[in-house]
mmCIF file of all heavy atoms in Angstrom:
data_model
loop_
_atom_site.group_PDB
_atom_site.id
_atom_site.type_symbol
_atom_site.label_atom_id
_atom_site.label_comp_id
_atom_site.label_asym_id
_atom_site.label_seq_id
_atom_site.Cartn_x
_atom_site.Cartn_y
_atom_site.Cartn_z
ATOM 1 N N PHE A 1 164.457 -9.063 112.644
ATOM 2 C CA PHE A 1 163.402 -9.984 112.085
ATOM 3 C C PHE A 1 162.028 -9.338 112.323
ATOM 4 O O PHE A 1 161.327 -8.948 111.416
ATOM 5 C CB PHE A 1 163.502 -11.395 112.661
ATOM 6 C CG PHE A 1 162.556 -12.365 111.950
ATOM 7 C CD1 PHE A 1 162.982 -12.979 110.806
ATOM 8 C CD2 PHE A 1 161.288 -12.580 112.428
ATOM 9 C CE1 PHE A 1 162.128 -13.895 110.118
ATOM 10 C CE2 PHE A 1 160.437 -13.487 111.793
ATOM 11 C CZ PHE A 1 160.857 -14.123 110.634
ATOM 12 N N GLN A 2 161.677 -9.239 113.592
ATOM 13 C CA GLN A 2 160.326 -8.687 113.931
ATOM 14 C C GLN A 2 160.133 -7.267 113.390
ATOM 15 O O GLN A 2 159.065 -6.919 112.980
ATOM 16 C CB GLN A 2 160.182 -8.702 115.478
ATOM 17 C CG GLN A 2 159.918 -10.052 116.075
ATOM 18 C CD GLN A 2 159.654 -9.947 117.524
ATOM 19 O OE1 GLN A 2 160.154 -9.094 118.227
ATOM 20 N NE2 GLN A 2 158.869 -10.888 118.097
ATOM 21 N N SER A 3 161.216 -6.443 113.472
ATOM 22 C CA SER A 3 161.021 -5.059 113.110
ATOM 23 C C SER A 3 160.579 -4.817 111.665
ATOM 24 O O SER A 3 159.867 -3.863 111.359
ATOM 25 C CB SER A 3 162.352 -4.274 113.273
ATOM 26 O OG SER A 3 163.362 -4.742 112.378
ATOM 27 N N LEU A 4 160.971 -5.752 110.765
ATOM 28 C CA LEU A 4 160.541 -5.620 109.367
ATOM 29 C C LEU A 4 159.028 -5.742 109.253
ATOM 30 O O LEU A 4 158.379 -5.051 108.423
ATOM 31 C CB LEU A 4 161.271 -6.611 108.462
ATOM 32 C CG LEU A 4 162.774 -6.412 108.339
ATOM 33 C CD1 LEU A 4 163.365 -7.476 107.439
ATOM 34 C CD2 LEU A 4 163.088 -5.036 107.781
ATOM 35 N N TYR A 5 158.432 -6.614 110.027
ATOM 36 C CA TYR A 5 156.978 -6.844 110.011
ATOM 37 C C TYR A 5 156.274 -5.748 110.799
ATOM 38 O O TYR A 5 155.199 -5.302 110.462
ATOM 39 C CB TYR A 5 156.613 -8.205 110.553
ATOM 40 C CG TYR A 5 157.279 -9.338 109.791
ATOM 41 C CD1 TYR A 5 158.434 -9.961 110.243
ATOM 42 C CD2 TYR A 5 156.749 -9.723 108.530
ATOM 43 C CE1 TYR A 5 159.004 -10.984 109.523
ATOM 44 C CE2 TYR A 5 157.349 -10.761 107.813
ATOM 45 C CZ TYR A 5 158.485 -11.382 108.326
ATOM 46 O OH TYR A 5 159.086 -12.364 107.617
ATOM 47 N N PHE A 6 156.859 -5.357 111.942
ATOM 48 C CA PHE A 6 156.183 -4.383 112.825
ATOM 49 C C PHE A 6 156.235 -2.962 112.343
ATOM 50 O O PHE A 6 155.315 -2.202 112.549
ATOM 51 C CB PHE A 6 156.821 -4.427 114.220
ATOM 52 C CG PHE A 6 156.608 -5.727 114.950
ATOM 53 C CD1 PHE A 6 157.219 -5.907 116.208
ATOM 54 C CD2 PHE A 6 155.851 -6.744 114.422
ATOM 55 C CE1 PHE A 6 157.049 -7.098 116.935
ATOM 56 C CE2 PHE A 6 155.662 -7.957 115.105
ATOM 57 C CZ PHE A 6 156.278 -8.082 116.385
ATOM 58 N N TYR A 7 157.353 -2.558 111.683
ATOM 59 C CA TYR A 7 157.585 -1.199 111.369
ATOM 60 C C TYR A 7 157.900 -0.845 109.925
ATOM 61 O O TYR A 7 157.691 0.277 109.476
ATOM 62 C CB TYR A 7 158.751 -0.626 112.237
ATOM 63 C CG TYR A 7 158.620 -0.852 113.698
ATOM 64 C CD1 TYR A 7 159.518 -1.703 114.380
ATOM 65 C CD2 TYR A 7 157.584 -0.260 114.436
ATOM 66 C CE1 TYR A 7 159.430 -1.903 115.754
ATOM 67 C CE2 TYR A 7 157.500 -0.456 115.789
ATOM 68 C CZ TYR A 7 158.390 -1.303 116.457
ATOM 69 O OH TYR A 7 158.262 -1.507 117.784
ATOM 70 N N CYS A 8 158.453 -1.796 109.206
ATOM 71 C CA CYS A 8 159.038 -1.481 107.869
ATOM 72 C C CYS A 8 158.196 -1.940 106.644
ATOM 73 O O CYS A 8 158.589 -1.712 105.544
ATOM 74 C CB CYS A 8 160.415 -2.099 107.748
ATOM 75 S SG CYS A 8 161.557 -1.563 109.025
ATOM 76 N N GLN A 9 157.058 -2.619 106.943
ATOM 77 C CA GLN A 9 156.171 -3.108 105.863
ATOM 78 C C GLN A 9 156.941 -4.049 104.907
ATOM 79 O O GLN A 9 156.675 -4.099 103.714
ATOM 80 C CB GLN A 9 155.636 -1.875 105.056
ATOM 81 C CG GLN A 9 154.849 -0.916 105.895
ATOM 82 C CD GLN A 9 154.390 0.302 105.126
ATOM 83 O OE1 GLN A 9 155.103 0.778 104.257
ATOM 84 N NE2 GLN A 9 153.190 0.794 105.448
ATOM 85 N N GLU A 10 157.874 -4.812 105.457
ATOM 86 C CA GLU A 10 158.636 -5.709 104.675
ATOM 87 C C GLU A 10 158.679 -7.125 105.233
ATOM 88 O O GLU A 10 158.345 -7.336 106.439
ATOM 89 C CB GLU A 10 160.113 -5.240 104.564
ATOM 90 C CG GLU A 10 160.255 -3.956 103.721
ATOM 91 C CD GLU A 10 161.716 -3.608 103.475
ATOM 92 O OE1 GLU A 10 162.620 -4.369 103.910
ATOM 93 O OE2 GLU A 10 161.970 -2.561 102.847
ATOM 94 N N ASP A 11 159.088 -8.102 104.429
ATOM 95 C CA ASP A 11 159.187 -9.472 104.829
ATOM 96 C C ASP A 11 160.670 -9.823 105.036
ATOM 97 O O ASP A 11 161.516 -9.553 104.175
ATOM 98 C CB ASP A 11 158.647 -10.354 103.723
ATOM 99 C CG ASP A 11 158.710 -11.869 104.124
ATOM 100 O OD1 ASP A 11 157.842 -12.358 104.813
ATOM 101 O OD2 ASP A 11 159.732 -12.516 103.737
ATOM 102 N N ALA A 12 161.015 -10.357 106.215
ATOM 103 C CA ALA A 12 162.433 -10.629 106.549
ATOM 104 C C ALA A 12 163.056 -11.664 105.653
ATOM 105 O O ALA A 12 164.251 -11.590 105.349
ATOM 106 C CB ALA A 12 162.526 -11.037 108.006
ATOM 107 N N PHE A 13 162.254 -12.622 105.216
ATOM 108 C CA PHE A 13 162.839 -13.650 104.340
ATOM 109 C C PHE A 13 163.176 -13.089 102.952
ATOM 110 O O PHE A 13 164.174 -13.424 102.385
ATOM 111 C CB PHE A 13 161.843 -14.839 104.230
ATOM 112 C CG PHE A 13 161.646 -15.607 105.508
ATOM 113 C CD1 PHE A 13 160.421 -15.571 106.157
ATOM 114 C CD2 PHE A 13 162.666 -16.351 106.085
ATOM 115 C CE1 PHE A 13 160.240 -16.255 107.356
ATOM 116 C CE2 PHE A 13 162.531 -17.034 107.238
ATOM 117 C CZ PHE A 13 161.293 -16.990 107.873
ATOM 118 N N GLU A 14 162.332 -12.201 102.500
ATOM 119 C CA GLU A 14 162.660 -11.521 101.226
ATOM 120 C C GLU A 14 163.906 -10.646 101.353
ATOM 121 O O GLU A 14 164.684 -10.566 100.424
ATOM 122 C CB GLU A 14 161.445 -10.705 100.785
ATOM 123 C CG GLU A 14 160.230 -11.510 100.372
ATOM 124 C CD GLU A 14 159.047 -10.647 99.977
ATOM 125 O OE1 GLU A 14 159.213 -9.406 99.957
ATOM 126 O OE2 GLU A 14 157.973 -11.192 99.696
ATOM 127 N N MET A 15 164.077 -10.023 102.518
ATOM 128 C CA MET A 15 165.285 -9.250 102.745
ATOM 129 C C MET A 15 166.546 -10.142 102.709
ATOM 130 O O MET A 15 167.548 -9.763 102.064
ATOM 131 C CB MET A 15 165.201 -8.523 104.145
ATOM 132 C CG MET A 15 166.402 -7.657 104.468
ATOM 133 S SD MET A 15 167.780 -8.548 105.266
ATOM 134 C CE MET A 15 167.006 -9.012 106.830
ATOM 135 N N MET A 16 166.467 -11.309 103.355
ATOM 136 C CA MET A 16 167.619 -12.194 103.317
ATOM 137 C C MET A 16 167.949 -12.701 101.899
ATOM 138 O O MET A 16 169.077 -12.758 101.492
ATOM 139 C CB MET A 16 167.382 -13.364 104.280
ATOM 140 C CG MET A 16 167.472 -12.985 105.727
ATOM 141 S SD MET A 16 167.323 -14.406 106.846
ATOM 142 C CE MET A 16 165.563 -14.587 106.948
ATOM 143 N N ASP A 17 166.869 -13.035 101.184
ATOM 144 C CA ASP A 17 167.095 -13.453 99.775
ATOM 145 C C ASP A 17 167.752 -12.348 98.956
ATOM 146 O O ASP A 17 168.677 -12.599 98.132
ATOM 147 C CB ASP A 17 165.713 -13.780 99.125
ATOM 148 C CG ASP A 17 165.074 -15.037 99.720
ATOM 149 O OD1 ASP A 17 165.832 -15.855 100.258
ATOM 150 O OD2 ASP A 17 163.858 -15.177 99.584
ATOM 151 N N ALA A 18 167.329 -11.084 99.156
ATOM 152 C CA ALA A 18 167.848 -9.997 98.390
ATOM 153 C C ALA A 18 169.341 -9.803 98.729
ATOM 154 O O ALA A 18 170.165 -9.515 97.843
ATOM 155 C CB ALA A 18 167.077 -8.714 98.657
ATOM 156 N N CYS A 19 169.705 -9.914 99.995
ATOM 157 C CA CYS A 19 171.100 -9.773 100.409
ATOM 158 C C CYS A 19 171.974 -10.833 99.762
ATOM 159 O O CYS A 19 173.099 -10.565 99.294
ATOM 160 C CB CYS A 19 171.182 -9.826 101.900
ATOM 161 S SG CYS A 19 170.543 -8.361 102.753
ATOM 162 N N ARG A 20 171.443 -12.068 99.729
ATOM 163 C CA ARG A 20 172.240 -13.158 99.116
ATOM 164 C C ARG A 20 172.466 -12.885 97.594
ATOM 165 O O ARG A 20 173.548 -13.107 97.075
ATOM 166 C CB ARG A 20 171.572 -14.502 99.344
ATOM 167 C CG ARG A 20 172.246 -15.665 98.698
ATOM 168 C CD ARG A 20 173.728 -15.755 99.014
ATOM 169 N NE ARG A 20 173.958 -16.181 100.429
ATOM 170 C CZ ARG A 20 175.180 -16.120 100.989
ATOM 171 N NH1 ARG A 20 176.236 -15.707 100.328
ATOM 172 N NH2 ARG A 20 175.325 -16.461 102.255
ATOM 173 N N ARG A 21 171.435 -12.426 96.923
ATOM 174 C CA ARG A 21 171.569 -12.136 95.524
ATOM 175 C C ARG A 21 172.620 -11.040 95.277
ATOM 176 O O ARG A 21 173.424 -11.147 94.323
ATOM 177 C CB ARG A 21 170.232 -11.678 94.949
ATOM 178 C CG ARG A 21 169.196 -12.785 94.766
ATOM 179 C CD ARG A 21 168.030 -12.290 93.888
ATOM 180 N NE ARG A 21 167.322 -11.181 94.442
ATOM 181 C CZ ARG A 21 166.275 -11.304 95.262
ATOM 182 N NH1 ARG A 21 165.824 -12.497 95.603
ATOM 183 N NH2 ARG A 21 165.652 -10.193 95.742
ATOM 184 N N VAL A 22 172.684 -10.089 96.135
ATOM 185 C CA VAL A 22 173.618 -8.959 95.962
ATOM 186 C C VAL A 22 175.070 -9.418 96.221
ATOM 187 O O VAL A 22 175.981 -8.992 95.493
ATOM 188 C CB VAL A 22 173.272 -7.796 96.890
ATOM 189 C CG1 VAL A 22 174.424 -6.785 97.052
ATOM 190 C CG2 VAL A 22 172.037 -7.074 96.367
ATOM 191 N N VAL A 23 175.329 -10.191 97.260
ATOM 192 C CA VAL A 23 176.722 -10.525 97.597
ATOM 193 C C VAL A 23 177.238 -11.746 96.876
ATOM 194 O O VAL A 23 178.475 -11.958 96.899
ATOM 195 C CB VAL A 23 176.824 -10.791 99.144
ATOM 196 C CG1 VAL A 23 176.336 -9.545 99.915
ATOM 197 C CG2 VAL A 23 176.074 -12.040 99.603
ATOM 198 N N GLY A 24 176.398 -12.543 96.264
ATOM 199 C CA GLY A 24 176.888 -13.726 95.599
ATOM 200 C C GLY A 24 176.974 -14.923 96.551
ATOM 201 O O GLY A 24 176.669 -14.870 97.744
#
């Protein structure tokens, strides 16, 4: 969770949404 904001320039909630879209 924290690492996406601290190091990856990404939002963790958007990551979770993307994973759900991919797996169904």
Side-chain angles (χ1 to χ4, degrees):
F1 188 85
Q2 287 183 329
S3 66
L4 293 180
Y5 300 100
F6 293 177
Y7 307 115
C8 302
Q9 302 176 324
E10 291 188 1
D11 180 86
F13 294 113
E14 292 178 2
M15 182 274 293
M16 288 185 276
D17 290 338
C19 289
R20 176 54 70 190
R21 287 193 299 270
V22 164
V23 304

